[in-house]
Amino acid sequence: MSKTTVTPAERPAAATPATSAISAVPAQPGPREASLDTDISTSDDKRDQPAGDDCAVIAGAGPVTRPGERPTVRLRDDAGPEEPPRYAPEWLQLRESADAAARAMDLLDPLRIRLANLPGRPGGLVVHDLGCGTGSMGRWLAPRLDGPQHWILHDRDPYLLHFAAVASPRAAADGSRVTVETRRADVARLTPDALAGASLVTASALLDVLTREEIDALAAACAGAGCPALLTLSVAGRVDFGEADPMDEEIASAFNDHQRRGGLLGPDAVTAACEAFADRGATVKVNPSAWRLGPEQAALTAQWLRGWVGAAVEQRPELASRADEYLTRRLAACSAGELRVDVHHSDLLALARPTGGA
């Protein structure tokens, strides 16, 4: 496990791969602009090419066809160093605004109440963000919580950790300082010791790529640390189009089966997580957090469609010819601004019993 720390005072507003001023961040190619108002650029090796209208799916949006790649992200050490990163920053940036709009705001008040009742710490809140990607959860949540915060960002991809550190928020809701630390680590091997001193555990789009054993380990770690967990945007297994197509349910069923490959829980993850946390004495709340995609989100919708249909065909190759026609129809409607779709997710808040007499 490697560990770096970045504070707002040390972080420039923008960094380039050639001139990065953040010595504490792993020496990886970084985005040319760290500002949220600019596009994310990848390194010159173009290991994760953005997909145009006629290109393959951006890595992370769905299965890709390069030899030897596994069908879904796995935050595990056993993948070996030869496995390329599975989430391209372009995909994570493309979905960030839809993620932010979808997250369940109703879970924030009970979370704030629990955090306010935790034992006071001189440095403020300590938040562990698991599988942080480019840091979108921190950018969404840190400005919605009061008080000083120290975020510990976990991911196995040093390139994404670099971006997450550079683009992290600088201030809490009340103007208090927010600092960041990055850890290149394996979330599937999380232990209570790893969360010692944690005030909160967060994750986004993570539960559905875990196994039941890994979710049990996550619940046990949170219970052992006595800290709440806010786990957002888990795939719910349901998609609703504004105008139905006869193939919608068939594609959805194949996609859901694809999500369960290799022992992963996919759309069953939230139910498993509720059981795992409740079994350890936590109070669990679940709220819907659907993407609601229309003409304004056409780029995201097109990439999501390619990934959704592509995963379905990878699971059931016999669908290929009909699925290609289906995708062509749906993409044409998307390009014409006529497509609307709700992609259902769930947000889960688990309030573990506090430790230390709180």
Side-chain angles (χ1 to χ4, degrees):
M1 176 186 296
S2 61
K3 183 168 98 172
T4 59
T5 302
V6 177
T7 68
E10 295 167 338
R11 181 180 57 244
T16 69
T19 61
S20 176
I22 309 176
S23 58
V25 175
Q28 299 293 323
R32 289 189 175 87
E33 296 291 339
S35 168
L36 295 181
D37 296 328
T38 59
D39 292 334
I40 302 174
S41 299
T42 55
S43 59
D44 291 337
D45 66 2
K46 303 191 188 309
R47 62 185 177 184
D48 290 313
Q49 290 280 8
D53 289 342
D54 300 319
C55 296
V57 182
I58 294 176
V64 291
T65 57
R66 289 177 289 192
E69 289 196 349
R70 302 199 311 193
T72 188
V73 65
R74 301 294 290 272
L75 298 177
R76 295 164 181 79
D77 290 337
D78 61 3
E82 73 281 355
E83 183 177 349
R86 296 292 297 129
Y87 281 165
E90 290 85 0
W91 167 246
L92 297 176
Q93 185 192 40
L94 191 60
R95 63 176 288 170
E96 183 162 348
S97 61
D99 286 350
R103 288 190 180 99
M105 296 290 291
D106 289 349
L107 297 181
L108 289 185
D109 280 345
L111 175 61
R112 292 187 186 107
I113 292 169
R114 171 55 60 89
L115 294 176
N117 288 324
L118 290 176
R121 294 185 175 92
L125 299 177
V126 177
V127 184
H128 287 254
D129 189 16
L130 307 181
C132 67
T134 57
S136 65
M137 173 60 94
R139 288 189 291 274
W140 180 80
L141 184 58
R144 289 174 165 82
L145 299 178
D146 288 330
Q149 302 167 39
H150 181 65
W151 282 68
I152 302 174
L153 309 178
H154 299 253
D155 207 290
R156 63 171 300 196
D157 186 345
Y159 178 76
L160 296 181
L161 284 173
H162 177 102
F163 184 89
V166 171
S168 62
R170 299 168 183 260
D174 59 357
S176 298
R177 191 182 190 209
V178 175
T179 57
V180 172
E181 173 183 332
T182 65
R183 292 184 183 176
R184 191 179 182 191
D186 178 16
V187 70
R189 301 185 182 184
L190 198 65
T191 66
D193 289 345
L195 299 180
S199 308
L200 172 65
V201 168
T202 66
S204 189
L206 177 66
L207 286 180
D208 43 73
V209 295
L210 297 180
T211 66
R212 187 173 298 275
E213 292 74 18
E214 290 160 355
I215 286 179
D216 283 344
L218 172 59
C222 293
C227 66
L230 180 63
L231 309 170
T232 68
L233 296 165
S234 297
V235 169
R238 188 161 61 92
V239 173
D240 293 324
F241 288 92
E243 294 188 8
D245 185 284
M247 277 203 74
D248 290 344
E249 290 188 11
E250 197 170 3
I251 296 292
S253 176
F255 174 83
N256 289 340
D257 288 344
H258 184 278
Q259 292 292 96
R260 298 183 177 103
R261 290 177 14 158
L264 305 185
L265 288 176
D268 307 319
V270 170
T271 298
C274 288
E275 294 170 353
F277 279 98
D279 286 347
R280 290 165 176 83
T283 300
V284 182
K285 302 175 183 293
V286 176
N287 277 32
S289 54
W291 282 352
R292 304 197 184 280
L293 307 180
E296 299 80 6
Q297 296 84 26
L300 173 61
T301 305
Q303 274 299 322
W304 169 79
L305 271 170
R306 293 187 181 98
W308 189 61
V309 175
V313 172
E314 189 172 270
Q315 180 68 23
R316 299 182 193 170
E318 67 274 13
L319 294 177
S321 60
R322 291 189 298 126
D324 184 62
E325 296 173 357
Y326 171 86
L327 180 60
T328 298
R329 293 194 301 272
R330 287 302 195 191
L331 288 175
C334 182
S335 296
E338 299 169 352
L339 185 66
R340 295 185 179 275
V341 57
D342 292 349
V343 183
H344 294 273
H345 304 94
S346 299
D347 287 5
L348 181 152
L349 175 64
L351 301 173
R353 292 173 178 169
T355 59

